[in-house]
Amino acid sequence: MPRLRAIPARPSPPVAAVNSPHWTQPRALLVRDRTTIFLYALLAVWGYFNYGFGPMVALLRDEQQISRGLASLHGTAFAAGAVVGGTLTPWLVRRYGRATSMWWSVGGLGVTILGLCAVRPLPLTLGFAFGVAIAGTTLLSGIVSGLSDHQRAAAPAAISEANAAACASGAAAPIVIGATVAAGWTWRPAVAVVVALFALLAVLAWFWRVRLPDGAAAPAAIAPGDAVGPGGTGVPARSAAHRGGRLPKAYWLAFTVMSLCGSVEVSVNLWAADLLRAQAGLSPANAAAAISAVVAGMFIGRVGGGRLALRYSPTGLLLVALAVSAIGFGVFWVATAPVLGLVGLVVAGLGNGLHFPLAISLALQASDGRPDLATARAAYSLAIAFGLAPFLLGALADATSVRSAFLMVPVLLVAAALVVLRIRRGSMDGPRRLEPPVDLGVVRGGGRLLGIPSGGLS
């Protein structure tokens, strides 16, 4: 397992308040260095498995000869594993550090994914799906909080680009799975390749000496004699970024936005095909393939949004993204022609693609300097979205129709916009100190401490 040292803090541009009422902010500098690209690659590999999980379960159901209801338990196990992972991650990071926890999670993913590919009985596949989600949640938490620490003011742009990479690799997953099945190799080689990719990244990390951001220590945590730079350098094992405790109210507002936006994304991805079949006359196969229009829109949105996030405030950009999603959904909802329905899905994807990156950025900046705890708790919002939204929309569809049930989506979008507006108004509730917290940097050659401002609102 590669031994990666914590990367020293580096200067960053001025940071605007996360809930600033202004639409623009000082332009941040996104540095795509080796560490950033490596974190992108980790998320891309995880995204490949994540987007391939649905097609894999459908094929596994055929092998196990079980009902759709029983097969859906894999999704339930995955959501439960995400909750457990979100609970364990803060403890793991405090105990072992972020970098070590991430590498243990990569190893755990290797073991559980290989196990998932090797077994067939339902209880075993459910157990391995549960284990994959635990390890994947820890890895995702480390990637997002690592990018936040490393990029500071440019974190929203970096997180958006990382999710774009995951989206691109995820779009390839169903194609690769279909190709291996068509070749008579089953779905297993297409899923097991994830383990090989993680192993390759581990080798490259060792060869290129990639350093993962491991959190910044608070000045108060430095005891006399602690070394902090070259020539006897390091930081205390337990840093401010790794501490536990309660997250502030502003974080839970961002958490609510993540839950609502996640519900929109999963509802569209899971049920749009049914509406295209019922309203636009597409065949089941073409309707299922049409969901790639949403993924394509999300990829474009995340790539373009990464650039916009360098200049515009997260709250302002998220409000625009919610409006774009609403427009795209409206076009899709009224479409009776396949082409118009696909156009609506692409536009909805443009907005949907920015929801999670911007919402998690809001949560990180409102975490009171505890990115690892914030990203770990964010797993709960995803579990809520994936656990409740599809069930609620399905129940409404059974009681009325798929078209009527889909009206739940604009309700969720409006609710998310209202919470984002509440976050923006928070900057006017009273005077706030806008000086960011202090990270520890190193003066080259001197081996002494230098306070370097980091992102966030203290």
Side-chain angles (χ1 to χ4, degrees), residues 14 53 74 83 97 101 132 167 195 208 275 304 310 355 369 378 390 394:
F53 184 74
H74 289 94
V83 171
S101 298
V132 167
C167 203
V195 180
W208 285 334
L275 186 57
L310 295 172
H355 292 174

Side-chain angles (χ1 to χ4, degrees), residues 89-434:
T89 296
W91 177 83
L92 290 172
V93 172
R94 288 196 302 270
R95 179 67 178 84
Y96 300 106
R98 184 192 299 145
T100 300
S101 298
M102 288 177 67
W103 283 113
W104 277 111
S105 68
V106 169
L109 282 170
V111 172
T112 52
I113 289 174
L114 286 178
L116 190 60
C117 293
V119 301
R120 288 198 180 187
L122 179 61
L124 293 180
T125 56
L126 291 176
F128 279 116
F130 178 76
V132 167
I134 294 175
T137 300
T138 301
L139 179 63
L140 178 62
S141 173
I143 292 169
V144 174
S145 55
L147 285 172
S148 177
D149 271 358
H150 191 57
Q151 291 293 342
R152 312 294 175 77
I159 294 171
S160 182
E161 285 193 350
N163 278 272
C167 203
S169 63
I175 298 173
V176 176
I177 291 174
T180 58
V181 171
W185 300 340
T186 77
W187 54 269
R188 288 173 173 79
V191 173
V193 73
V194 171
V195 180
L197 291 174
F198 275 133
L200 176 62
L201 288 179
V203 171
L204 293 176
W206 178 271
F207 183 75
W208 285 334
R209 298 182 180 180
V210 176
R211 297 180 176 183
L212 293 183
D214 210 19
I222 302 295
D226 281 338
V228 291
T233 65
V235 294
R238 177 166 176 156
S239 71
H242 298 165
R243 72 184 189 272
R246 288 191 175 187
L247 291 162
K249 178 182 178 182
Y251 171 83
W252 294 109
L253 289 174
F255 178 95
T256 302
V257 175
M258 281 190 287
S259 300
L260 294 168
C261 290
S263 298
V264 169
E265 181 178 337
V266 70
S267 296
V268 172
N269 289 352
L270 289 181
W271 290 97
D274 278 9
L275 186 57
L276 286 173
R277 290 169 59 184
Q279 188 164 289
L282 287 181
S283 67
N286 288 336
I291 300 305
S292 61
V294 183
V295 180
M298 290 175 65
F299 173 73
I300 296 170
R302 284 172 176 173
V303 172
R307 306 299 301 172
L308 294 173
L310 295 172
R311 187 67 185 89
Y312 297 94
S313 69
T315 50
L317 194 56
L318 183 50
L319 286 172
V320 172
L322 291 168
V324 171
S325 295
I327 292 170
F329 172 81
V331 173
F332 162 72
W333 191 73
V334 301
T336 55
V339 173
L340 190 60
L342 292 177
V343 170
L345 288 178
V346 171
V347 175
L350 287 173
N352 291 357
L354 285 176
H355 292 174
F356 176 76
L358 292 174
I360 192 67
S361 297
L362 291 175
L364 286 167
Q365 294 183 48
S367 67
D368 193 24
R370 287 169 287 186
D372 295 287
L373 180 63
T375 51
R377 293 293 181 261
Y380 298 165
S381 73
L382 299 180
I384 291 171
F386 279 78
L388 294 181
F391 173 78
L392 180 58
L393 197 149
L396 289 173
D398 289 339
T400 56
S401 66
V402 176
R403 189 170 189 268
S404 298
F406 250 117
L407 290 175
M408 183 180 81
V409 170
V411 173
L412 293 170
L413 290 171
V414 170
L418 291 175
V419 179
V420 174
L421 288 172
R422 173 65 186 88
I423 294 172
R424 284 172 66 82
R425 283 198 301 269
S427 63
M428 305 180 208
D429 289 343
R432 292 174 181 261
R433 186 163 58 88
L434 297 182

Side-chain angles (χ1 to χ4, degrees), residues 21-32:
H22 304 290
W23 289 91
T24 61
Q25 61 186 17
R27 185 175 180 84
L29 176 64
L30 174 58
V31 180
R32 298 179 186 88

